[in-house]
Amino acid sequence: MKAPYRLPFTPLPLAAAARGAVALAVPLLAGVATGQVALAVLAGIGALWGVGQDGDDPYRQRVLRLGCTGGCAALGLLAGELALRSARPGAVTCCLVAAALVAGAVSLRGRLASVSGLHLLLGVTVGGGIPVPGPWWQAPPALLSGVALVALLSATPWLWRRHAIERAAVRAVYRAASGALAAAGGPDAEAARRRLTAALDHAHRVLDRHLTGRRRPGKEPDALRTAFHTAVRLGEVTSALVWEGRELPRCVSRVPLLMAARLLPEPGRGPASATAAAGPAGSAHPAGVPCAGSGSPALRALTALYTSCGPDRPRDTTPRLPASPWHGRAAQVRYTVLLAGCVLAAQLCAVLLHGPRGYWLPMTVAFVYKPDFGPVFRRALHRCAGTVAGVAAIGAVTLLTTGTYALIGAVAAFAAVMAVGVRHHYALATTGLTAIVFVLVDLLGDHRELSWARILDTALAAAIVLVAHFALWPHSARGRAAARTRAAVSAAHRYRDLPAGAPAAERYALRRTAYHRLAEARRAVLDARREPGRTAREVAGLLDAEEEAIAAAERLCDAVGARHVGSAPAAYTPGAVRCTAAGAMGG
């Protein structure tokens, strides 16, 4: 059996780590200096959740996501605080269950809705579990200020590098295309082509608002759109060259880099100097493309694309990347009920074990039970491991010092760890979060020894989630993988069935959709393999069949692209590839 596809590793987010450290340290230092420690802790909690939602996507998307995070968290905090202040038996529990029902109802409708629902529930958990002194209206603005600080730190670079993220995403496509051309004819060709697909998907998401809807005038957006549409064409030609299965001269792999230099010159270098370095645009033998008159249609297509690319090239229309719902109404209702049930069970355990301060149990359930964020079992396991590591880490710190400013410095360090973990490993993110929460609780005046209690609480909450999930919804990951595989195969068939005389823009749109669906299906299958099940052997066999279907659909798309470029070999039979894909899906 082939090794499963793995996502590429990303570099360490040093800027995000610095933002996390500053965002947690500033409100705590201000609170200690002014004597408003309780409000500073709430601002720190808001900053903590903001760090968890900070990202490397375009600034507009970051601000929108952080705004939804802060607004929903503040609303939840207000509801939980009012329920706690009412002193009515069961008020907090009813508020938690209601918030869980709302969070579950919206969580499967998209990433932004999922994040909003999660933080609504977290806000209720903190508001109903931590008594806050002072007027009832002070806590939500304090929490919101912490999230706003993260948003400010994250979006400030927009002032001097407005489109740097979009430029980097598009340039990554050209680098991936260069890598695919260099790998053509070798054992890594297929993996390189998948990296090209992933880079195109990422660039499409990053440039979404520039590509669809109302076009915003400006030299930089126009250059980005032109470079992206050229990259889509380059992806088709590159796939055709990879499909040919033969090694290419090294100079051919330089062509995408030369195109990127012409379309998106480095800051400080004018278009004229970039074009001169890349070669004359109208040359019959452009620099680095020794293929004019070659017998390979794909190489001739690469030459034609190179000679025609330029900042004044007409732009195509680009559709939005398709949404990929993997669930029906029944699955959404099931998740909503299960989440509410798990939160209710955790809250009842918290009341029995810890009285009114048992917020850790329902908060852990809220974090763990997110099937749209990845495999539930791994998330629960990493949560437990991260909690143990965080308790040990903060325990080591308190053995060395208990000074307030030293602990705030430790919070800044753990915030940086959390920011790295958010992008790389959930256990690492949990380690930072756990250590930070211990310090925040200590600043509020709760000096109880809670280390073992927190470890046991995390294990109990994870057990509640796992028992409920695998008893009542054991094959959710498998169902998600199957649904996305069916959508991917259908998208590949639509691309194959496109008439020969169809407009090029329609062809590129169908091609982008097909490869986007295929990449999503591969990720869903990878997630499903990470989930244990009662019938693991049977599920593994079904996932093998889905991987075969995805691979066959990818070969079909590659072959169709090669046919359009004119580079399909004589033995090319799209019907045979179609039957392979359909057979793997049982169709």
Side-chain angles (χ1 to χ4, degrees):
M1 184 182 70
K2 292 172 63 177
Y5 172 67
R6 297 186 182 276
L7 300 178
F9 189 77
T10 54
L12 290 178
L14 299 180
R19 291 195 297 267
V22 172
L24 264 295
V26 166
L28 296 183
L29 289 172
V32 171
T34 61
Q36 299 292 329
V37 177
L39 294 179
V41 168
L42 287 172
I45 293 174
L48 182 69
W49 292 344
V51 170
Q53 294 304 319
D54 190 15
D56 296 323
D57 43 351
Y59 301 110
R60 181 188 180 93
Q61 295 179 21
R62 296 187 201 180
V63 172
L64 177 61
R65 185 174 59 252
L66 288 168
C68 291
T69 296
C72 291
L75 181 62
L77 180 69
L78 178 61
E81 185 185 13
L82 292 177
L84 182 64
R85 287 173 182 255
S86 70
R88 295 178 180 176
V92 172
T93 300
C94 292
C95 189
L96 274 171
V97 173
L101 290 171
V102 173
V106 303
S107 283
L108 301 185
R109 297 188 177 184
R111 190 76 175 186
L112 189 61
S114 181
V115 166
S116 301
L118 168 65
H119 286 88
L120 175 71
L121 180 55
L122 291 176
V124 173
T125 302
V126 170
I130 301 179
V132 179
W136 61 269
W137 52 266
Q138 284 186 344
L143 183 87
L144 196 57
S145 68
V147 182
L149 177 59
V150 177
L152 178 65
L153 293 172
S154 185
T156 296
W158 174 85
L159 296 173
W160 62 85
R161 54 193 301 265
R162 183 167 302 184
H163 296 100
I165 296 171
E166 291 89 338
R167 289 173 64 89
V170 177
R171 281 182 168 275
V173 178
Y174 288 89
R175 288 196 300 271
S178 177
L181 291 174
D188 297 330
E190 181 63 19
R193 204 272 303 146
R194 289 178 188 164
R195 286 193 290 272
L196 173 58
T197 299
L200 269 170
D201 275 348
H202 176 66
H204 200 160
R205 285 193 295 269
V206 168
L207 266 71
D208 183 64
R209 77 184 187 95
H210 296 291
L211 298 171
T212 59
R214 184 173 63 87
R215 294 291 177 89
R216 292 169 175 80
K219 181 179 178 181
E220 187 75 4
D222 286 345
L224 289 168
R225 283 190 286 264
T226 299
F228 177 78
H229 292 307
T230 304
V232 171
R233 287 169 166 76
L234 177 63
E236 183 179 63
V237 175
T238 301
S239 296
L241 286 166
V242 172
W243 170 266
E244 288 182 357
R246 60 187 179 88
E247 292 187 8
L248 300 169
R250 181 176 298 179
C251 56
V252 173
S253 65
R254 294 180 57 240
V255 176
L257 303 180
L258 297 173
M259 295 171 65
R262 175 181 294 165
L263 293 166
L264 294 174
E266 293 285 354
R269 295 185 63 189
S273 61
T275 301
S283 173
H285 297 274
V289 193
C291 54
S294 167
S296 168
L299 279 176
R300 290 198 296 272
L302 181 62
T303 303
L305 182 62
Y306 178 87
T307 56
S308 66
C309 77
D312 298 327
R313 193 187 186 285
R315 296 186 299 269
D316 298 326
T317 57
T318 301
R320 289 185 180 274
L321 282 176
S324 298
W326 57 273
H327 57 84
R329 186 176 298 273
Q332 188 168 337
V333 170
R334 181 183 297 190
Y335 171 64
T336 300
V337 173
L338 283 176
L339 177 62
C342 290
V343 168
L344 175 60
Q347 176 64 11
L348 292 178
C349 291
V351 171
L352 292 175
L353 295 174
H354 302 298
R357 299 298 297 270
Y359 54 87
W360 194 269
L361 274 161
M363 182 177 71
T364 302
V365 167
F367 275 120
V368 170
Y369 202 13
K370 296 293 296 177
D372 53 320
F373 280 15
V376 175
F377 179 78
R378 285 172 62 92
R379 196 169 176 84
L381 186 65
H382 291 167
R383 186 80 190 181
C384 293
T387 300
V388 172
V391 168
I394 196 60
V397 170
T398 54
L399 285 177
L400 298 174
T401 180
T402 56
T404 300
Y405 290 103
L407 289 178
I408 292 176
V411 165
F414 284 121
V417 170
M418 179 182 170
V420 174
V422 164
R423 292 159 178 79
H424 286 279
H425 203 285
Y426 185 57
L428 187 62
T430 302
T431 299
L433 183 146
T434 301
I436 292 169
V437 170
F438 267 80
V439 177
L440 296 181
V441 169
D442 184 75
L443 290 174
L444 283 175
D446 188 351
H447 305 301
R448 293 177 296 171
E449 174 54 48
L450 297 174
S451 299
W452 285 108
R454 291 304 179 233
I455 293 174
L456 294 176
D457 286 352
T458 301
L460 178 57
I464 290 172
V465 169
L466 293 178
V467 169
H469 180 72
F470 287 108
L472 301 175
W473 202 13
H475 299 310
S476 63
R478 161 74 179 93
R480 181 180 190 177
R484 292 200 165 175
T485 301
R486 285 193 296 270
V489 172
S490 297
H493 288 177
R494 286 194 298 272
Y495 176 48
R496 177 208 61 199
D497 296 335
L498 184 68
E506 183 180 359
R507 184 174 91 236
Y508 293 131
L510 288 176
R511 176 183 175 83
R512 283 270 51 250
T513 298
Y515 279 111
H516 173 67
R517 296 281 199 195
L518 288 165
E520 284 189 328
R522 281 199 174 274
R523 287 192 291 268
V525 170
L526 179 60
D527 285 347
R529 286 194 180 280
R530 292 171 172 170
E531 289 280 34
R534 293 176 297 183
T535 56
R537 184 173 301 176
E538 176 189 352
V539 170
L542 292 172
L543 293 177
D544 288 342
E546 283 161 9
E547 281 192 338
E548 291 174 8
I550 294 168
E554 285 177 336
R555 291 194 297 271
L556 172 62
C557 290
D558 289 345
V560 172
R563 181 189 66 188
H564 284 299
V565 173
S567 189
Y572 164 64
T573 53
V577 183
R578 173 184 57 81
C579 291
T580 302
M585 286 301 297

